[in-house]
Amino acid sequence: MSLVRLIGAEARHLAKRSYSSAAPTTKLFIDGKFVESKTTEWIDVHDPATNQVVTRVPKATQAEMQTALESNKKAFRSWSNQSILTRQQVMFKLQALIKENMGELAKNITKEQGKTLADAEGDVLRGLQVVEHCCSIPSLQMGETVANVARDMDTYSLVMPLGVTAGVAPFNFPAMIPLWMFPVAITTGNTMLLKPSERVPGATMLLMELLNEAGCPPGVVNVIHGQHDAVNFICDAPEIKAVSFVGSDQAGKYIYERAGKNGKRVQSNMGAKNHGIILGDANKENTLNQLAGAAFGAAGQRCMALSTAVFVGDAQAWIPDLVDRAQKLKVNAGHVPGTDVGPVISAASRQRINDLIESGVKEGAKLILDGRKVSVPGYEDGYFVGPTILSDVTPSMKCYTEEIFGPVLVILKADNLDDAIGIVNANPYGNGTAVFTTNGAAARKFVNEIDAGQVGVNVPIPVPLPMFSFTGTRGSFRGDHHFYGKQGIKFYTQTKTVTQLWRETDVTHTQAAVAMPTMK
């Protein structure tokens, strides 16, 4: 049964599995079943465009979290011994099911997170690409062999799963980030305890429905909900061997330190301040269009949003044209056709964004486009902020030092490329950056000298496809191995090296015995 039919029937089956039939409450997912929580504490999830409650998320009890963990432990014993081709087949089936139900997943994302339907489909697609890469697991998880390291002695390595792993996902990519986590973890033979953001649980729950349909055994992936207690449970449980996290600096540092002290592997993607460097020889029209899309798309709630522009020399004359493009972007509810910029996730987020804009004004920046008072007819209760541009920003301003995470572009100016590179490298973050130029020598200099993990040349959001890895650096990442790609495989596995000796002289028969046996 596909989600197209499931959701097309007004969530009749979904109410039975993912949500309560008695109230709009999200369920836990434990041992292959959707389970109503017995908690007394709930979190309301609001549609950011309307401020209406769309579901209530439980803060899972300690007993429920322990039950989920025990299920993961039990499932690991059998799942890790399944053939690698069996695990591959689950990914093949999951890939097909996600493609079939991409539209329904996107609708749920738009309702809970607010992004446009087109952007929500992109959210699902970029996660789907990780699933597709996991279909190559037989070659990705191969060990190595050296024969005859000594006489009659061979050494080979096995790439083994770790055990129970855990994932803590953010609100801004409800499908993509969980799909960065559990497919890689389980395809390499692990099990996973997954905690989606309590603000956007729906996409993960729909993915669990599809995972069941793909034939994944019960307990291989379990889902709990909550906030601090759930995170602490994941960090402290000795049975959990590795933790994947994407989110804010504060939470990422906390998880890295607490889980690390408990002996766990951690990969922690955190904040960013991604710079776009615009040189005067760049293709003006293409550059300004890409800059506007990368700064204001997804309402700026991307860890790879191009939130900072450094205009170099003559390119500074293009700033009014950028303002003109930003003004033309349509702000509306995400499901409305033609919408360019949807709402931000919450009223608190909107207030924080507005406060950071105001701090820039007070510190001397020029507010050349103000989106704080945008009005969206029919959605007056939504959490909207229109495209906003602060110019003449300096590196000491709060609007520059903090990640705004909204549709706000801050503009700095530089006299030359060396000065622009210096600005980027002095910033503590290193998630991504981009340069816009038609000069190959300038691009090469930028690539070689810039200190950021992901670099675009005339590409505003240089997020690698899954055959590579997401390689943010410096203050944007803590850990040893990055998400997906070869590094993702390494994160979720450990190497067992075997050295074996079989002496040739111990061979008892060098050829088949065909004569009648005698009593010699």
Side-chain angles (χ1 to χ4, degrees):
M1 177 180 62
S2 73
L3 280 179
V4 170
R5 295 192 295 275
L6 184 145
I7 299 178
E10 293 298 319
R12 182 177 66 252
H13 298 289
L14 188 62
K16 181 179 178 183
R17 293 179 171 86
S18 298
Y19 297 97
S20 166
S21 58
T25 56
T26 299
K27 294 187 178 184
L28 307 170
F29 181 71
I30 300 174
D31 214 31
K33 297 177 180 143
F34 293 93
V35 180
E36 190 74 62
S37 175
K38 293 181 170 58
T39 188
T40 58
E41 297 182 84
W42 299 84
I43 304 162
D44 289 343
V45 174
H46 296 83
D47 180 337
T50 64
N51 195 28
Q52 294 179 351
V53 176
V54 295
T55 185
R56 300 176 70 222
V57 178
K59 291 185 180 181
T61 66
Q62 288 292 320
E64 289 166 342
M65 292 188 286
Q66 189 61 45
T67 298
L69 180 57
E70 292 299 325
S71 170
N72 283 133
K73 288 169 56 182
K74 180 181 178 182
F76 175 72
R77 291 193 288 272
S78 57
W79 178 246
S80 60
N81 285 314
Q82 290 284 348
S83 75
I84 200 165
L85 297 181
T86 298
R87 301 199 298 266
Q88 181 191 41
Q89 284 299 316
V90 172
M91 288 299 109
F92 279 134
K93 293 173 184 176
L94 181 62
Q95 183 263 2
L97 288 165
I98 291 173
K99 287 181 72 173
E100 180 183 353
N101 295 285
M102 185 176 292
E104 299 304 327
L105 284 159
K107 288 178 185 177
N108 180 273
I109 291 169
T110 296
K111 177 179 284 190
E112 293 185 352
Q113 201 274 347
K115 63 177 66 179
T116 67
L117 280 171
D119 199 35
E121 288 193 2
D123 184 330
V124 179
L125 175 63
R126 293 309 298 264
L128 173 64
Q129 289 168 342
V130 176
V131 176
E132 291 173 337
H133 191 243
C134 287
C135 293
S136 300
I137 193 61
S139 58
L140 295 173
Q141 203 172 344
M142 292 176 68
E144 298 174 318
T145 301
V146 175
N148 297 315
V149 294
R151 185 172 179 81
D152 299 333
M153 184 179 292
D154 307 319
T155 298
Y156 63 92
S157 64
L158 302 172
V159 181
M160 308 292 291
L162 302 175
V164 181
T165 63
V168 180
F171 74 83
N172 57 329
F173 285 96
M176 183 182 78
I177 302 299
L179 288 170
W180 281 11
M181 296 176 180
F182 77 81
V184 185
I186 69 173
T187 311
T188 50
N190 302 283
T191 59
M192 174 165 273
L193 182 62
L194 181 61
K195 193 200 89 66
S197 169
E198 66 278 7
R199 299 177 181 181
V200 290
T204 293
M205 304 312 291
L206 297 179
L207 288 170
M208 293 304 102
E209 181 78 30
L210 298 180
L211 192 62
N212 265 354
E213 192 172 341
C216 188
V220 172
V221 181
N222 292 323
V223 178
I224 59 173
H225 302 291
Q227 294 175 315
H228 303 96
D229 288 346
V231 169
N232 288 339
F233 178 85
I234 286 171
C235 290
D236 295 344
E239 298 90 345
I240 294 175
K241 305 303 180 184
V243 181
S244 298
F245 170 81
V246 177
S248 69
D249 277 5
Q250 182 180 4
K253 291 175 182 176
Y254 176 84
I255 290 172
Y256 179 80
E257 292 169 6
R258 183 160 181 159
K261 286 179 181 178
N262 287 318
K264 305 180 193 300
R265 291 186 185 183
V266 183
Q267 53 180 186
S268 180
N269 272 10
M270 303 183 295
K273 200 74 174 180
N274 307 307
H275 297 65
I277 309 303
I278 300 94
L279 302 185
D281 60 23
N283 181 314
K284 178 182 175 182
E285 298 303 314
N286 184 58
T287 296
L288 294 180
N289 286 335
Q290 291 201 77
L291 188 57
F296 307 119
Q301 297 175 125
R302 294 173 176 148
C303 61
M304 283 292 286
L306 211 59
S307 59
T308 305
V310 182
F311 282 83
V312 179
D314 295 342
Q316 294 168 19
W318 302 353
I319 294 174
D321 297 301
L322 176 62
V323 173
D324 182 61
R325 280 169 171 75
Q327 285 176 321
K328 293 176 181 178
L329 295 174
K330 181 180 177 182
V331 181
N332 211 326
H335 68 277
V336 176
T339 298
D340 298 306
V341 180
V344 297
I345 189 65
S346 67
S349 178
R350 178 180 59 187
Q351 186 61 52
R352 180 180 177 276
I353 293 165
N354 290 342
D355 289 346
L356 285 168
I357 295 169
E358 184 61 26
S359 76
V361 174
K362 289 180 178 178
E363 292 183 278
K366 294 179 181 177
L367 186 58
I368 57 177
L369 181 61
D370 188 355
R372 290 176 294 178
K373 295 183 181 180
V374 65
S375 177
V376 180
Y379 298 96
E380 289 79 7
D381 294 330
Y383 314 134
F384 293 96
V385 180
T388 298
I389 300 178
L390 286 162
S391 185
D392 293 346
V393 172
T394 64
S396 63
M397 293 180 181
K398 187 177 181 181
C399 64
Y400 176 79
T401 59
E402 292 196 18
E403 184 179 24
I404 298 176
F405 223 61
V408 181
L409 178 68
V410 300
I411 294 178
L412 290 78
K413 298 176 181 178
D415 293 331
N416 52 58
L417 179 57
D418 285 324
D419 290 346
I421 290 173
I423 290 171
V424 178
N425 288 348
N427 189 279
Y429 292 113
N431 217 30
T433 186
V435 64
F436 298 90
T437 181
T438 55
N439 186 313
R444 188 172 188 275
K445 173 184 175 67
F446 182 82
V447 169
N448 288 339
E449 296 183 13
I450 208 69
D451 190 5
Q454 296 165 119
V455 182
V457 178
N458 298 318
V459 175
I461 303 179
V463 177
L465 289 171
M467 65 284 292
F468 294 93
S469 297
F470 189 99
T471 53
T473 57
R474 296 196 283 145
S476 297
F477 179 76
R478 290 195 177 185
D480 295 318
H481 295 301
H482 292 278
F483 283 85
Y484 62 77
K486 292 180 181 178
Q487 293 199 37
I489 299 296
K490 288 182 179 179
F491 178 77
Y492 286 114
T493 59
Q494 57 192 339
T495 302
K496 179 185 290 185
T497 304
V498 180
T499 302
Q500 60 181 10
L501 173 65
W502 298 106
R503 295 194 183 279
E504 185 178 1
T505 56
D506 291 340
V507 176
T508 55
H509 295 286
T510 58
Q511 64 183 37
V514 295
M516 179 70 72
T518 65
M519 296 300 293
K520 290 182 180 179

